[in-house]
Every structure is written in structure tokens, then in C-alpha cells.
Amino acid sequence: MSSSIPFERYDEEFLSLTEQVTSKLRSLDPATNNDNGSSLPPTADADLKMAHNLLLQADDLLKQMGLEARGVEDATIKRDLLGKVRVCKTRLANLRDDYEAAKGFVERNSLGLNNTDSNGSRNNNNNNGGKERLLSNTETLRSQSDTLANARSIMAETESVALEITEELGRHRETISSAHGRVRQVTGMTNRARRIVQSMGRREVQQKLILYGVGGTILIVFLMLVYGMFK
């Protein structure tokens, strides 16, 4: 169970990071702001940047947790740890969605699109329409950038997993080679034992032939003596 101690430390740190992200995003939630949700605290930009940095740290920590879980040899512990990693991935994905919603709210507020003043004129509506298009284009570019960043992250994680699999295959190959070496040693010992048994069998046959020869000679000599006595 000691192999899971580093993972538990990662898990506690991940929980701390996600709680900090939640705290930073709570102040940016439109439902928690006054004036029909149009006002933001003076620290909105700083809170948004801090939440983004905390999400990056949580993402890096989650990768380390995945590596630690996959490196556990005990199958039962490994399955439990990988289950915790999946739960953390879901929580991180939800926080990313909350962050994107908060970021959109902050950007709209900075462009004056969150105000609900009913006395606005047609020019204000046209300006808002232009701001909406600008914000939409900005969000599209940012989404594409995030997609590329996620693709790079997935590629890096895939490469890491591939390296782990390669190392694992290397260890299995060494084990198989060692087993083959032991099999060859046992085969050599078996062959030597077979030759020894065959040699002992041949000596036993030779000894029997010698005994039969000596017995036959004695019998012949005895018969000749008997024959000489009664001749």
C-alpha cells in the first residue's frame, strides 16, 4: 500500500488547486453579482488569470497522477487509482467549462455587453452588434488556439504512455530472455543426466556380460574336472 503514498499526496494537492479555482471563479459568477449580474469586482481580471494558472497546474498534476497510477504493480490498487484519476479528469473538465463561462462574462462586461439599460439608442445597438461580432471572432480564435494546445497536450501524454509501454515491453523481454536461458540450462542438465544414465546402463550390461563369462568359464572347468575324475 506504500506505493500509493505519492499518489495520495498528488490527490490532496489536486483537491487544493481545484478548491482555489472554485473560489476564484465564484467571484466572477453572474449569479453572485449585483446590478442584474452586470457588475464585477475590481480584481476580476486578476482572479481570472489566477484561475487559469491554477487550472494549468492542476492539469500538470493530473498527468503526474496518471503516470503514478499506471506505474503501480498491484492490479487492484492500480485499478482504484486509475478510477480516481478519471474522477479528477471529470472535475477538471467541469472547472474548465466554468472558467470559460466566467471568461466570456468578463470579456462581455469589459465591452459593455452585460449592461441592461433599456434607454439605449439604435447607435448603441449597432455598437453592441459590432462588439458581439468582435467578441465572437476573439472567442473563435481562442477556441482554435485551445484546441491546438489540447492536441499538443494529448500528443505529449500519448508519447509518455508509449514510452511507458516500451519500457514495460523491454522488462517483459528481459524476463522472457531470462526464462529462455533457464530453460536452456535445464535442457543441458537433462541431456547430461541422460548421457550419464546411458553410460551407467552400458556399464551394467558390460558387468553382466563379464559375470556371465566368468560363470560359464567356471562351469566348463567344473565339468572338465568331473569328466577327468570319472574317465
Side-chain angles (χ1 to χ4, degrees):
M1 192 65 180
S2 59
S3 60
S4 65
I5 291 179
F7 184 90
E8 296 301 331
R9 293 175 181 171
Y10 288 146
D11 193 21
E12 293 175 359
E13 186 175 354
F14 180 84
L15 179 60
S16 175
L17 289 173
T18 54
E19 289 177 347
Q20 294 179 60
V21 173
T22 301
S23 176
K24 294 298 180 182
L25 295 180
R26 186 177 297 113
S27 64
L28 306 177
D29 187 356
T32 62
N33 291 288
N34 298 324
D35 299 334
N36 296 324
S38 61
S39 64
L40 284 172
T43 59
D45 291 334
D47 290 342
L48 192 66
K49 184 176 181 180
M50 178 61 70
H52 179 261
N53 292 334
L54 291 172
L55 284 173
L56 292 178
Q57 295 179 36
D59 185 63
D60 292 338
L61 187 62
L62 187 59
K63 293 177 182 177
Q64 292 295 327
M65 293 171 65
L67 293 175
E68 187 71 24
R70 287 191 290 270
V72 175
E73 295 181 357
D74 188 278
T76 302
I77 298 177
K78 183 176 183 179
R79 183 174 58 254
D80 293 340
L81 296 183
L82 289 176
K84 291 183 179 181
V85 170
R86 287 191 292 271
V87 172
C88 291
K89 284 184 177 180
T90 301
R91 177 173 175 79
L92 184 59
N94 293 334
L95 286 177
R96 285 199 187 101
D97 292 339
D98 295 341
Y99 168 78
E100 292 298 332
K103 181 173 65 175
F105 179 73
V106 171
E107 291 175 346
R108 290 175 63 86
N109 188 80
S110 65
L111 294 175
L113 299 177
N114 291 331
N115 295 324
T116 59
D117 186 4
S118 60
N119 296 323
S121 63
R122 182 177 300 178
N123 290 334
N124 288 334
N125 291 333
N126 292 335
N127 290 335
N128 287 342
K131 292 178 181 179
E132 287 280 7
R133 288 191 294 272
L134 177 61
L135 182 60
S136 177
N137 292 335
T138 302
E139 290 178 350
T140 300
L141 292 175
R142 183 178 291 110
S143 176
Q144 293 175 353
S145 178
D146 291 342
T147 300
L148 292 175
N150 289 335
R152 287 194 294 267
S153 176
I154 292 173
M155 290 178 62
E157 185 175 357
T158 302
E159 182 180 0
S160 176
V161 173
L163 290 175
E164 290 183 6
I165 293 175
T166 301
E167 293 177 357
E168 188 70 19
L169 290 176
R171 289 192 291 269
H172 288 326
R173 187 180 299 109
E174 292 177 356
T175 302
I176 293 173
S177 298
S178 177
H180 285 170
R182 288 194 293 270
V183 169
R184 286 193 293 269
Q185 292 177 356
V186 172
T187 302
M189 294 174 62
T190 302
N191 291 334
R192 287 195 295 272
R194 184 182 298 110
R195 288 194 294 269
I196 292 173
V197 171
Q198 292 175 349
S199 177
M200 292 175 62
R202 286 193 296 269
R203 284 198 297 270
E204 183 179 0
V205 172
Q206 291 173 356
Q207 291 174 357
K208 288 181 178 180
L209 291 176
I210 292 173
L211 288 176
Y212 292 155
V214 171
T217 302
I218 293 174
L219 179 60
I220 292 172
V221 171
F222 177 75
L223 292 175
M224 291 179 64
L225 291 176
V226 171
Y227 178 77
M229 291 174 60
F230 291 97
K231 184 176 178 182

